[in-house]
Amino acid sequence: MTIPGYGRLAPLQLAMLRLAGYRVSLSWQDNSRPLTDTERLAEMAAGLRELRNAVPALATCGVSLAAWHRRLQKEHGASYRHTYGWATTRDKVEAAYADPHYQSLAAELAARFGVATSEEMTMNDADLVDHPLYADIAADPAADEPRLVLADALMQAGEPRGELITLQCELAQILGEQPALSGAWTRSRLHPLIPEKTETRARQITRRQNQLLKEHLEWTPVLEGDGEIALWRGFLASLTLRGLDSWSVERLEALLHQAPLISQLNLLASWGVGCNAGMEGQLLELCSRYIGSSLESLLIQGADDAAIAEVLAKVRFPALRWISFGAQRVPSAIIAALLENPSLSRLEALYAEAGLESAEDVARLLEAPNFTITDLVTPRTSLRRGAAEVLAGCPKLSALRILDVTRTGLGAAGLEALLTSKHAPQGLERLAAAWLQLKGDELSVLADATSLSKLEVLDLESNRFGPAGMDVLGASTKLTALRSLTLRNCRILDEGLEALLASPLFPRLQELNLRSNGLTVEGMLSLSRVSEENALLKLNVNNNKLGVADMTPVWEAPQLAACRIFVEAKKPKGKAKGKE
């Protein structure tokens, strides 16, 4: 966390900020001897005097530490900006709280800056564990009803945590997944579609949620190692551990005691730094012991492959549904470990943005005896030379809902083998087939595929099939559910855009990405004349060398008033809605 302030944080200063509800992590930036208790108290007092002298009008800034943080940033800039990593230990923090001068300093800080004392703080997760209704939540972490029952009881008692539980449960129903899954997990090219009305409600909930979290920072505990923790569906649910050398088994164990409902764990080793031997495995085993029954999603990146493979084969994660390896290529040993673990019966999604080691690993995942994969995101995995025929013979291919074969070399023949197989995925909802060098007439593989009747999201970025490809794709009578189409860098030109606008596909499209397609003012004029029956909500025409005058017909088209248009050209003031 970056804190505009004064000098290094001593343990007592950490205690003061923690009292105020701030999440603070420390870094040891001084190699000299540690400060004595007396010196720490003197430093704290000196800091208070410095603040009073520096900002005479401090009393008018508001009633929170955040107010004087903003004031200091505005008046003094970088001279009051300090960044802290991890370093101090839990016993030093507890010693600071036990300091005989603590109460007087706490009262002075509260009176001067409007900081809440510990008696005024609302319930955190450790308190909620003791609530009589908590047992029902722990028995069924995936269910919303027990959480909402507790939320009603808390709101009746005047506890603001109840409102947060209610709001986040509603947001979970809208998004269908934890927020992190739409970015770091699910590739942006395969994001789920959210209706405009529902999306507006989601933004309203998010604003109120953020306001509550700012007002009640005591809901999230201080992390003594490098990382982050966040609430979801009303409870601490997402834990990110960075720089694993900053964590010990004791620290993580103490944290997990406070957050037994963690459902998302991100284990991020520092690139190029490495960890103590076996540290990744120790931390993962500890998480299995404390949050194994509630953990639904796991991200592992930058860790030692051998250590992770050894642990993944034996840890128990019976609720695990998603596993991701980020930008780290996944070796065969890790795939083998997943196949050996009998507790992973609910595993359904695997994300490996850097790909798997071989096509054989993809086939092994599709043939897994202990789980069934429905979301397979493995771009950059080589699927050349007959790999598609092998995958087409896997019976569990039919279970796929999400498939990303970007940069795999699959080609049109490989796509056809998968989509026309007797095991073809009839329920496929999202498909990324970017950078496969598909030519114009080869798009018939997609346009004529009966197995794509439920496809909602299609990404064809950088296939460069030109206007001829749009003629083929636009004539499709099979892609009846398509709502989002990415044609970035496909060189469709104005001619291809006109073919798309006249096709039966366009009236159903809600999102259309036309970035880098050589479009000119002629294409924008065609777009401005589309029917009022269009459903378009988001349009990207960036990097087409369009000026303000070229975009004016689109901005002024009443039938596109509800569409958000993304373009480098500046929109004249007072024109149609959209972020440009």
Side-chain angles (χ1 to χ4, degrees):
M1 179 178 179
T2 301
I3 305 174
Y6 45 93
R8 296 184 307 276
L9 278 181
L12 184 58
Q13 291 170 298
L14 171 65
M16 294 293 108
L17 290 172
R18 182 64 187 93
L19 180 68
Y22 280 81
R23 292 173 291 168
V24 184
S25 57
L26 300 178
S27 65
W28 190 254
Q29 297 179 350
D30 187 353
N31 294 324
S32 62
R33 63 175 179 81
L35 296 175
T36 65
D37 290 343
T38 302
E39 289 170 330
R40 284 198 296 271
L41 289 170
E43 185 173 337
M44 183 67 185
L48 286 172
R49 286 194 299 271
E50 181 182 346
L51 281 173
R52 292 169 186 153
N53 295 332
V55 189
L58 196 60
T60 64
C61 294
V63 294
S64 70
L65 282 174
W68 63 260
H69 283 177
R70 289 193 295 270
R71 182 64 173 263
L72 288 173
Q73 283 179 309
K74 181 178 179 181
E75 293 194 2
H76 299 279
S79 63
Y80 280 94
R81 191 179 297 273
H82 302 275
T83 302
Y84 308 95
W86 70 276
T88 196
T89 57
R90 179 174 297 274
D91 57 339
K92 289 184 180 179
V93 177
E94 292 175 350
Y97 275 105
D99 192 288
H101 299 278
Y102 170 77
Q103 292 299 329
S104 61
L105 282 174
E108 183 179 357
L109 189 63
R112 183 69 183 177
F113 303 119
V115 179
T117 64
S118 56
E119 289 77 13
E120 297 171 334
M121 289 186 178
T122 55
M123 301 179 75
N124 56 29
D125 280 49
D127 301 323
L128 291 175
V129 169
D130 297 327
H131 197 284
L133 294 176
Y134 179 83
D136 295 333
I137 299 175
D140 190 3
D144 281 343
E145 185 175 354
R147 295 173 186 251
L148 295 176
V149 171
L150 174 61
D152 289 339
L154 293 176
M155 285 190 289
Q156 290 175 11
E159 170 60 52
R161 187 65 173 269
E163 182 184 359
L164 181 74
I165 296 174
T166 302
L167 289 173
Q168 289 195 331
C169 284
E170 183 181 353
L171 190 61
Q173 290 294 325
I174 294 174
L175 299 180
E177 55 191 12
Q178 293 190 33
L181 294 181
S182 63
W185 288 71
T186 307
R187 293 169 62 84
S188 59
R189 65 177 77 249
L190 294 177
H191 66 279
L193 296 174
I194 301 176
E196 181 185 25
K197 183 177 180 180
T198 308
E199 185 177 6
T200 301
R201 175 57 182 160
R203 288 196 294 268
Q204 293 172 347
I205 294 174
T206 301
R207 282 195 295 269
R208 177 56 182 159
Q209 163 198 272
N210 293 342
Q211 181 182 356
L212 284 171
L213 293 175
K214 289 179 181 178
E215 294 173 354
H216 302 282
L217 291 170
E218 68 273 13
W219 289 345
T220 54
V222 175
L223 299 188
E224 293 188 24
D226 188 6
E228 299 172 1
I229 192 166
L231 294 104
W232 184 242
R233 295 171 65 221
F235 290 82
L236 294 172
S238 176
L239 175 62
T240 298
L241 306 181
R242 293 192 181 90
L244 300 186
D245 276 339
S246 69
W247 287 92
S248 66
V249 171
E250 293 76 16
R251 283 179 177 171
L252 183 56
E253 189 171 18
L255 175 61
L256 296 178
H257 270 300
Q258 304 178 59
L261 294 181
I262 294 276
S263 60
Q264 181 180 37
L265 174 64
N266 301 327
L267 197 63
L268 309 178
S270 300
W271 289 105
V273 175
C275 304
N276 295 330
M279 178 58 71
E280 306 101 321
Q282 292 180 49
L283 297 181
L284 202 55
E285 284 183 314
L286 189 64
C287 291
S288 172
R289 188 157 66 247
Y290 281 94
I291 58 174
S293 60
S294 63
L295 192 67
E296 294 186 354
S297 59
L298 174 63
L299 168 62
I300 304 172
Q301 181 169 293
D304 180 76
D305 292 334
I308 290 298
E310 181 180 354
V311 175
L312 279 180
K314 58 184 179 181
V315 291
R316 286 191 54 78
F317 288 131
L320 191 67
R321 297 171 57 194
W322 298 283
I323 188 165
S324 171
F325 298 93
Q328 178 176 340
R329 195 163 186 84
V330 183
S332 300
I334 287 183
I335 301 301
L338 296 176
L339 298 175
E340 293 173 12
N341 193 326
S343 74
L344 302 180
S345 58
R346 296 191 62 191
L347 185 63
E348 61 184 42
L350 186 138
Y351 297 87
E353 294 187 19
L356 304 185
E357 195 169 287
S358 66
E360 289 73 17
D361 290 335
V362 180
R364 292 165 69 195
L365 282 172
L366 292 177
E367 295 173 339
N370 50 334
F371 53 78
T372 299
I373 292 293
T374 61
D375 302 6
L376 187 60
V377 179
T378 58
R380 297 176 174 83
T381 303
S382 178
L383 298 179
R384 295 180 173 87
R385 296 187 294 276
E389 287 71 18
V390 175
L391 301 182
C394 299
K396 288 188 177 182
L397 177 69
S398 60
L400 289 180
R401 294 182 299 109
I402 298 177
L403 178 62
D404 188 342
V405 290
T406 296
R407 294 182 184 267
T408 58
L410 192 62
L415 271 178
E416 185 174 18
L418 295 180
L419 299 178
T420 60
S421 160
K422 66 177 181 179
H423 305 303
Q426 302 293 333
L428 199 64
E429 299 172 2
R430 310 180 213 168
L431 172 62
W435 294 88
L436 294 185
Q437 299 182 356
L438 300 178
K439 299 177 181 178
D441 55 347
E442 292 177 337
L443 288 189
S444 60
V445 170
L446 300 171
D448 300 335
T450 58
S451 58
L452 298 182
S453 60
K454 297 183 180 180
L455 191 70
E456 296 183 359
V457 180
L458 176 60
D459 183 1
L460 297 173
E461 178 183 345
S462 296
N463 279 292
R464 302 187 179 184
F465 39 72
M470 288 314 308
D471 290 334
V472 175
L473 192 66
S476 173
T477 58
K478 310 297 183 184
L479 301 175
T480 54
L482 194 63
R483 298 291 180 269
S484 176
L485 179 60
T486 296
L487 300 172
R488 177 175 177 172
N489 195 29
C490 290
R491 297 183 178 178
I492 66 171
L493 307 178
D494 293 336
E495 181 184 351
L497 177 57
E498 292 179 7
L500 174 62
L501 298 178
S503 74
L505 289 182
F506 180 75
R508 296 188 293 269
L509 291 179
Q510 297 175 8
E511 300 183 13
L512 179 60
N513 189 333
L514 298 173
R515 183 184 177 99
S516 305
N517 273 289
L519 302 179
T520 69
V521 63
E522 295 300 324
M524 296 304 100
L525 288 172
S526 299
L527 187 60
S528 68
R529 294 191 290 265
V530 297
S531 168
E532 293 183 358
E533 298 178 356
N534 77 87
L536 204 60
L537 299 176
K538 294 180 181 179
L539 172 67
N540 189 330
V541 288
N542 273 323
N543 201 30
N544 280 292
K545 298 182 180 179
L546 296 168
V548 173
D550 301 331
M551 290 302 303
T552 299
V554 178
W555 283 326
E556 294 180 343
Q559 66 273 35
L560 294 175
C563 181
R564 296 173 61 194
I565 301 172
F566 297 84
V567 63
E568 289 95 343
K570 298 291 185 181
K571 181 187 67 176
K573 292 184 178 180
K575 299 299 180 183
K577 297 179 181 179
K579 180 181 186 313
E580 303 57 47

